[in-house]
Amino acid sequence: SYFSKTSPKPDRTRYEYGFVAGFPILQNKLFGFVSLDHTDLQGTQNYRRDLFLDSEVAAPWLTRGNDTPQNRAWIQGILGRYPQGAVPNDPGASNRTYATLQEIDWPDKDYSVRLDYEPVSEHHFSARYQYTRNRRETEDIIQGENALQNHKQVNVGLTWTQVFGGAFSGEFRYGLGLRSTNVDIAAGNDTPIVRFTGSPVSGTILGNAGSYPINRHQTDNQFVYNLYGVLGTRHYVKAGVDVRLQELDD
């Protein structure tokens, strides 16, 4: 039942706000558009991990000639990553399980600006800029378990549309994409990779088992030109070129 639960109840709040606005800058010539969108999930989530028992910490750590100052210091460094004062408090799970609440902060932000310009009826220009950022920050109760995610994207687009007489139109487009994907170990990327297996409920994984860090920076350029129109009364013609250049620094 609900009243038999031993885990604390998490508390989360989601904040979301934004706005959109469109407005003329030059009458019948230049028009602007802006938007903003923010979301942020804050609060706590359930967290359960199995701890070392006092009897295990008190027992000999190293045998067979391995009891050296360097090896003891390494083991002490692993034990020191566990929260001080934490004791098993979830006997319904196991005699070594520790249950608590873990703080989270996961904001997302998006901004965009667009301009539309038509100096004459035969030419139309548009430009768009978008910036997006996503962060995932989770409390590192056992130092070295969690990763800090910090992703950024920038997109720029330019379009020029031209009308040739009444039968043909041409469109040039340029796009730039800048993507930065960053996932770092919150306690430092020099965190040793240690996995505890055979734990009754939830064992610790330090250093995320070698999957992280990820530091990837990508640049994309795209050039497009399309020409289309009508030949006579029975034929429609379209021709185009699409060139894409990509650079990846991983």
Side-chain angles (χ1 to χ4, degrees):
S1 69
Y2 174 84
F3 296 99
S4 67
K5 291 182 179 179
T6 57
S7 299
K9 182 180 179 181
D11 182 18
R12 298 186 191 183
T13 303
R14 177 182 172 88
Y15 301 92
E16 184 170 4
Y17 59 92
F19 77 90
V20 176
F23 46 87
I25 300 174
L26 294 175
Q27 185 176 8
N28 297 329
K29 298 289 185 182
L30 183 61
F31 187 81
F33 173 90
V34 295
S35 69
L36 176 149
D37 186 18
H38 278 201
T39 61
D40 193 358
L41 181 62
Q42 299 179 5
T44 56
Q45 63 183 5
N46 285 118
Y47 178 89
R48 302 168 90 192
R49 289 294 184 274
D50 294 330
L51 304 179
F52 292 101
L53 300 177
D54 291 339
S55 59
E56 294 170 332
V57 177
W61 293 357
L62 297 158
T63 60
R64 299 182 180 181
N66 293 314
D67 194 354
T68 65
Q70 294 84 356
N71 288 344
R72 292 187 65 85
W74 193 88
I75 293 176
Q76 186 60 57
I78 298 299
L79 293 175
R81 293 177 177 271
Y82 284 76
Q84 298 299 311
V87 295
N89 60 359
D90 193 356
S94 78
N95 66 334
R96 63 169 72 239
T97 301
Y98 171 64
T100 187
L101 294 177
Q102 183 180 48
E103 294 184 0
I104 61 171
D105 186 13
W106 299 345
D108 296 315
K109 300 178 181 180
D110 184 88
Y111 310 91
S112 63
V113 178
R114 174 172 173 147
L115 295 175
D116 287 301
Y117 179 52
E118 191 170 286
V120 293
S121 60
E122 293 82 10
H123 296 275
H124 182 89
F125 300 89
S126 66
R128 184 174 183 270
Y129 172 86
Q130 181 181 21
Y131 173 83
T132 304
R133 185 168 186 177
N134 314 100
R135 286 178 62 89
R136 296 294 180 267
E137 193 168 359
T138 303
E139 181 186 5
D140 217 17
I141 295 176
I142 298 177
Q143 299 296 305
E145 275 194 326
N146 285 295
L148 172 62
Q149 301 186 41
N150 184 15
H151 311 308
K152 292 180 286 185
Q153 294 188 28
V154 174
N155 296 300
V156 177
L158 302 173
T159 303
W160 172 29
T161 303
Q162 184 179 11
V163 177
F164 304 100
F168 279 83
S169 297
E171 181 185 66
F172 170 78
R173 288 181 296 159
Y174 168 71
L176 171 66
L178 303 174
R179 294 169 177 82
S180 177
T181 302
N182 298 285
V183 185
D184 294 291
I185 306 301
N189 290 332
D190 57 350
T191 298
I193 300 171
V194 181
R195 179 192 293 269
F196 293 91
T197 60
S199 196
V201 176
S202 181
T204 300
I205 299 177
L206 300 178
N208 278 268
S211 299
Y212 305 128
I214 297 174
N215 298 118
R216 180 178 298 132
H217 304 282
Q218 181 175 339
T219 302
D220 296 305
N221 287 278
Q222 183 180 19
F223 302 86
V224 177
Y225 188 81
N226 289 317
L227 179 66
Y228 41 90
V230 177
L231 287 178
T233 59
R234 302 179 59 184
H235 298 280
Y236 178 80
V237 178
K238 182 176 181 180
V241 60
D242 186 339
V243 178
R244 306 185 187 201
L245 306 174
Q246 184 181 87
E247 181 181 357
L248 179 62
D249 182 5
D250 197 351

